Amino acid sequence: MAYEVEAPKYVRLAQTIQSRIEDGAYAPGTRVPSENQLVQAFGVSRPTVVRALELLKRDGWLESRQGYGTIVRGRPAVVEQKDRRGVEALARDESQSQGRLIAVESVPVPVRVASALGLPKRAQVLMRRFLVEEDGEPVELVSSYFPAGLVEGTELADVEPLSGGSRAHLEARKKVRFDHVTERVSARLPEAGEAELLDLPAGIPVLSVLVIAHDAAGQALQVSDVLLPADRQELEDTYRLN
């Protein structure tokens, strides 16, 4: 049965502050209200305010300046890259891409994905897992996760390859608008099943690119975990989709 789980208070507060930045209520270069003012204005606890501000700083909406306080940066700057895994994951037409659909199933949300989507640890999400191949060789494993409430009324749960990409499908079926993507990249050793699918020898690490697609208000709509052989330090990017 499909259901929606409300995001934690600090995530909802961060979304509200981000919306005020978007609509100009909190202008770039100005100070955001103090923690005490935010506690009073929104009726939340100080820890909730602190976590919300930390989240906005991490994603590039705010910054701390010594002796001046927390400053509004505005929408995170566009970062130009030749290789945008996020756009590829959102736009991939499974029916036309080289590779194969490995799994479509409801699964317990992974911890990193739960944090990105603002879901509790025991929530169920829909996972679509696609193995990208080139000349018959596996080169990339993409596991995309969708909140249960966003799946209803779409073809995301179908076991057939999806045409047109998940972004286009969701924007057409659910009338949502994808606005920007955050990528968190880290190296790790693959799980046994991942190593088998990617045909990796024992001890070879993978690069995990956690792709988080947001709407203009900062709500995460989809998270994709893109795995490929790599040995790089963690980094994070945010860029516009249009």
Side-chain angles (χ1 to χ4, degrees):
M1 185 170 105
Y3 60 90
E4 292 189 32
V5 180
E6 191 173 43
K9 284 185 179 180
Y10 78 94
V11 173
R12 302 200 305 271
L13 177 59
Q15 291 167 354
T16 299
I17 295 173
Q18 188 171 319
S19 295
R20 295 193 177 191
I21 296 172
E22 289 276 3
D23 63 23
Y26 297 159
T30 63
R31 284 189 294 182
V32 297
S34 68
E35 291 180 8
N36 284 337
Q37 289 172 324
L38 291 172
V39 167
Q40 294 297 320
F42 295 101
V44 296
S45 67
R46 184 179 297 275
T48 295
V49 169
V50 171
R51 292 189 71 184
L53 295 178
E54 288 176 348
L55 182 62
L56 291 166
K57 290 174 186 176
R58 186 202 68 189
D59 287 346
W61 295 89
L62 304 175
E63 66 176 327
S64 294
R65 292 184 186 174
Q66 188 172 4
Y68 197 68
T70 301
I71 307 301
V72 177
R73 295 182 62 187
R75 182 186 295 276
V78 175
V79 179
E80 296 296 336
Q81 291 183 322
K82 294 181 179 180
D83 188 12
R84 290 182 170 180
R85 298 287 175 182
V87 171
E88 292 174 2
L90 295 174
R92 177 170 287 110
D93 186 332
E94 295 173 350
S95 65
Q96 301 295 322
S97 297
Q98 294 186 58
R100 52 197 171 97
L101 189 61
I102 300 297
V104 180
E105 57 186 333
S106 179
V107 299
V109 61
V111 174
R112 294 179 71 200
V113 176
S115 175
L117 289 174
L119 295 176
K121 293 180 180 179
R122 295 183 180 180
Q124 292 287 119
V125 291
L126 178 74
M127 179 190 72
R128 295 186 68 89
R129 175 166 286 175
F130 191 86
L131 182 66
V132 182
E133 298 175 325
E134 291 181 2
D135 300 323
E137 297 294 326
V139 295
E140 191 173 309
L141 182 62
V142 184
S143 301
S144 296
Y145 301 90
F146 306 87
L150 201 61
V151 174
E152 188 174 0
T154 73
E155 297 176 5
L156 292 175
D158 291 358
V159 295
E160 296 298 322
L162 187 68
S163 299
S166 58
R167 177 190 177 185
H169 186 76
L170 282 169
E171 288 186 334
R173 295 297 181 91
K174 302 296 287 188
K175 306 305 179 185
V176 295
R177 182 177 178 274
F178 285 64
D179 181 78
H180 61 279
V181 163
T182 298
E183 293 181 1
R184 301 174 191 167
V185 186
S186 59
R188 64 172 174 83
L189 289 175
E191 298 176 2
E194 296 167 345
E196 182 178 356
L197 287 170
L198 288 169
D199 195 22
L200 292 176
I204 300 297
V206 291
L207 187 69
S208 170
V209 185
L210 195 70
V211 179
I212 310 168
H214 307 263
D215 62 16
Q219 176 65 50
L221 301 172
Q222 170 182 338
V223 175
S224 295
D225 192 8
V226 181
L227 298 184
L228 56 153
D231 184 16
R232 293 167 56 185
Q233 295 182 344
E234 186 164 319
L235 55 90
E236 181 170 316
D237 293 324
T238 300
Y239 50 81
R240 293 294 301 276
L241 286 173
N242 52 5

